[in-house]
Amino acid sequence: MTKYHPLSELFKARLREFVREPETIFWVYAFPVLLAIGLGIAFRNRPAERVFVDVQQHVSAEEVAKSLRSKPDFVVAIHSKPECLDRLRLGKSALVVIPGDPYTFLFDPTRPESVLARQQVDDALQRAAGRKDPLPTADRHITEPGTRYIDFLIPGLLGMNLLAGSMWGVGYVIVDMRVRKLLKRFAATPMKRSHFLWSALGGRMAFMIPEVVVILGTGVLLFGFPIRGNIFAILFLSLLGAASFAGLGLLVACRAQKVETVSGLMNLIMMPMWLLSGVFFSPERFPDILQPFIKILPLTHFNYALRAVILEGASLSSQFWRLALIAAWGGISYFFTLRWFRWN
Amino acid sequence: MKSSSPAEPVISCRGLHKQYTGRGGSVNAVNGLDLEIRRGECFGLLGPNGAGKTTTIEIFEGLLRPTSGDVEVLGMRWGDNDNELRQRIGISLQETRFTERLTVIETLVLFRSFYRNGKNPADVMDAVGLREKAKSWIGKLSGGQRQRLAVACALVGDPSLLFLDEPTTGLDPQSRRQLWDVIRRLQQEGCTVLLTTHYMDEAERLCNRLAVIDHGKVIAMGSPGELISGLGGEHMIEFALANGTGALDDLFAGLPSVKEVRSDVNGIALTVSEPHIAIPALLGRLQSQKLELARLSTRQASLEDVFVGLTGRHLRDDEISSTE
Ligand SMILES: Nc1ncnc2c1ncn2[C@@H]1O[C@H](COP(=O)(O)OP(=O)(O)OP(=O)(O)O)[C@@H](O)[C@H]1O
Ligand SMILES: [Mg+2]
């Protein structure tokens, strides 16, 4: 008679369950790709920002407007004083120019585009008045692969997806089994508890590889995303990240008796990391007070390490401390999972 | 290894207590329970909702720890060599939802893989009549087929002791009878079966012996025949009066062959040993009291009557209305 090995049967069951569920396939593979495409297009070849400038009615208003219109980025209109104020408040214009002596710029200094507009309008007016710049300067725009927003985004999306996939694919799945009393049913058999946990982890590792391929592949094929690092280093890093995040998934699943509880716990863990850990923009943008917190989150270090390895071709050993921190999160999670896990 | 002496009980428990403490105070789900289950028998735990059947069976299964009391299963105790015990018992929980996107055969192979020795999953499918559903997803099975799958998962490790918690609840009569056949065949193969139910007909037909449980205690134990004859009479006369029932119980208590009188909203029930004596006497009494009869019927006494006799309540809440 055929001998069945429990670990491989549990693993096969997990794989079958996963591939037979079209919804999860969508969320794990299609959703990040659509997000990459959407954001990639939104931030690609952005036309030069147009600057809306109003000139307050005045005898020389027409003249001022004419000299500003010579620059193609400016959209210039002349309005009465109250109209100008209203339009500024409503954000329809970034800046109001009040001709006179001196020329006055009316704007809100906390609006970045207003500050920018003030600089540019001032420049244009000074030049029109005959200013000669003593230092000749020139602009060159960088849009080559490796420095664009999409290049920043793709590794971040991969990090986000590995975290979400591990949390849902391990945490949610296990709590769902507990709700269905299937965990209790398993516990009533001679099944080794470790086999069950290994199969959950093994399943997660198996689904992770296509995730990496699909997300990075989309970047390479659609956006010319540059992969400068060693492919095995990237895979190793992804494996480490997914395993560590799976530990977090197990941890939230330890005791939760309802899928609502575990969904809440997972969001509590994932949301701050998606926001703070440098998925969509650099974590350095957040205030100093948040930095110590940001620096202990595993996804922060995962994203930094992944960007370094992929975009700069950094070696894994150069990322040692980041890897160690990610591994420590995983280790601590597994330790407490083994102590706290409930089968019924 | 087990000794094969037939006298040695497969399960024995003494002074079993299980207390749940929660926000609303504590519940004594099992409250001093003594049981002995013999090798090869089909033993039933019969009781209403909340009687403590599931709690008791899950303590035997090693899934719950008793608050106090002593339990021995197959000559072993939980906590000593649990894996060995688990290799030899089969379990069907009151409520398990198997993974919907696995097929019947995949699920059985999975459960088979947990056991050192066991049955061929295909044979088990035959035994419970799920052969033609082998490749169907569990999500596509009917309720009865899922129950049979649960029993199949309990069988696939070739257990010598089988626990079935309400295996037929919610099934139509046809599916219930099919499951009964499966259980009888197992018993013939030498398997000891412990099942819980709140269907008295199921207990009567399937069980060699049973314990009637209420509020966590055994209130009666024996074979179905013994329990019924314990009523003093094996027949029931049920009747109703045209102008309603008053406090008339005393009127009929003294009639010849009448052992017990009970009345409820549906009418009056007499437990009698010899209906051919009791009925003429009853009719005579009604006539002399100028009471008019609306309905009269007789039937064999059942375990339901045993339960009502012991507790004054019905096994299931819907029982009162379903007698009409
Ligand atoms: N986990 C628990 N926490 C608190 N009380 C519980 C728990 N499980 C069961 N009980 C209580 O213990 C008592 C016995 O429950 P049990 O499930 O053993 O009854 P049962 O005889 O199996 O009933 P049913 O026929 O409805 O399945 C009930 O009063 C129930 O409310
Ligand atoms: Mg129960």
Side-chain angles (χ1 to χ4, degrees), chain A residues 1-7 9-10 12-13 16-17 20-23 176-177 179-182 184-193 344, chain B residues 58 63 83 86-87 91-93 95-103 106 109-116 118-121 137 150 153-154:
Chain A
M1 202 177 105
T2 340
K3 186 76 191 131
Y4 309 103
H5 193 277
L7 190 54
E9 290 305 322
L10 280 164
K12 278 196 273 182
R16 287 175 174 138
E17 193 188 347
R20 288 172 190 175
E21 208 140 356
E23 307 88 284
D176 181 52
M177 286 173 137
V179 170
R180 290 189 284 130
K181 301 258 161 72
L182 190 57
K184 188 177 183 177
R185 183 63 188 84
F186 281 153
T189 70
M191 178 192 76
K192 282 210 180 65
R193 312 293 160 101
N344 52 17
Chain B
E58 287 187 355
L63 294 172
N83 192 276
R86 300 213 173 285
Q87 293 282 357
I91 288 174
S92 158
L93 297 174
E95 181 207 1
T96 306
R97 281 163 27 232
F98 292 99
T99 303
E100 299 209 336
R101 290 177 202 221
L102 291 181
T103 66
E106 285 161 359
V109 166
L110 175 63
F111 274 86
R112 171 64 186 86
S113 76
F114 300 148
Y115 294 88
R116 203 170 40 222
K119 295 185 175 168
N120 185 342
W137 285 8
C153 288

Side-chain angles (χ1 to χ4, degrees), chain B residues 48-55 57 94 165-166 196 198:
Chain B
N49 288 138
K53 304 182 296 294
T54 299
T55 308
I57 206 169
Q94 184 167 355
D165 196 357
E166 301 199 10
T196 74
H198 38 208

Side-chain angles (χ1 to χ4, degrees), chain B residues 135-157:
Chain B
K135 299 229 163 72
S136 303
W137 285 8
I138 290 163
K140 302 246 154 56
L141 297 185
S142 73
Q145 289 163 341
R146 284 179 208 212
Q147 297 270 48
R148 276 186 273 159
L149 174 67
V151 174
C153 288
L155 293 182
V156 80

Side-chain angles (χ1 to χ4, degrees), chain A residues 265-317:
Chain A
L265 283 175
M266 290 192 316
N267 283 327
L268 197 69
I269 289 182
M270 291 193 296
M271 287 302 174
M273 288 206 250
W274 287 357
L275 202 64
L276 301 174
S277 287
V279 172
F280 298 102
F281 37 78
S282 169
E284 275 130 39
R285 285 211 197 170
F286 289 99
D288 285 349
I289 190 166
L290 282 178
Q291 292 301 331
F293 176 65
I294 293 175
K295 287 210 173 85
I296 59 164
L297 297 176
L299 186 62
T300 309
H301 296 278
F302 181 80
N303 284 342
Y304 272 121
L306 194 62
R307 287 194 177 109
V309 169
I310 295 181
L311 295 173
E312 294 159 24
S315 69
L316 282 178
S317 55

Side-chain angles (χ1 to χ4, degrees), chain A residues 120-187:
Chain A
Q120 291 177 334
V121 169
D122 188 38
D123 251 21
L125 290 177
Q126 300 292 1
R127 287 219 183 104
R131 184 184 74 183
K132 283 277 173 283
D133 293 328
L135 187 69
T137 57
D139 290 348
R140 209 177 80 208
H141 295 147
I142 47 161
T143 48
E144 69 248 33
T147 53
R148 304 158 305 171
Y149 179 64
I150 188 75
D151 303 319
F152 179 86
L153 182 67
I154 295 267
L157 281 181
L158 182 53
M160 176 178 102
N161 218 54
L162 288 181
L163 176 63
S166 287
M167 298 290 278
W168 286 98
V170 175
Y172 184 88
V173 165
I174 287 180
V175 175
D176 181 52
M177 286 173 137
R178 184 181 291 123
V179 170
R180 290 189 284 130
K181 301 258 161 72
L182 190 57
L183 275 192
K184 188 177 183 177
R185 183 63 188 84
F186 281 153

Side-chain angles (χ1 to χ4, degrees), chain B residues 8 12 15 40 70 87 108 114 133 157 165-166 190 197 218 264-265:
Chain B
E8 180 212 341
S12 71
D70 192 47
Q87 293 282 357
L108 283 173
F114 300 148
K133 292 284 170 190
D165 196 357
E166 301 199 10
T197 181
V218 176
D264 61 36
V265 289

Side-chain angles (χ1 to χ4, degrees), chain A residues 191-255:
Chain A
M191 178 192 76
K192 282 210 180 65
R193 312 293 160 101
S194 58
H195 282 165
F196 179 81
L197 298 178
W198 279 117
S199 73
L201 193 63
R204 180 60 200 132
M205 293 301 123
F207 310 137
M208 178 224 73
I209 293 169
E211 248 173 276
V212 175
V213 172
V214 165
I215 295 177
L216 295 185
T218 305
V220 171
L221 294 178
L222 291 185
F223 300 104
F225 175 72
I227 295 183
R228 304 206 172 103
N230 180 316
I231 201 83
F232 291 106
I234 297 171
L235 266 185
F236 175 83
L237 190 54
S238 306
L239 213 70
L240 178 74
S244 169
F245 301 148
L248 290 176
L250 281 174
L251 195 60
V252 295
C254 270
R255 296 267 170 121

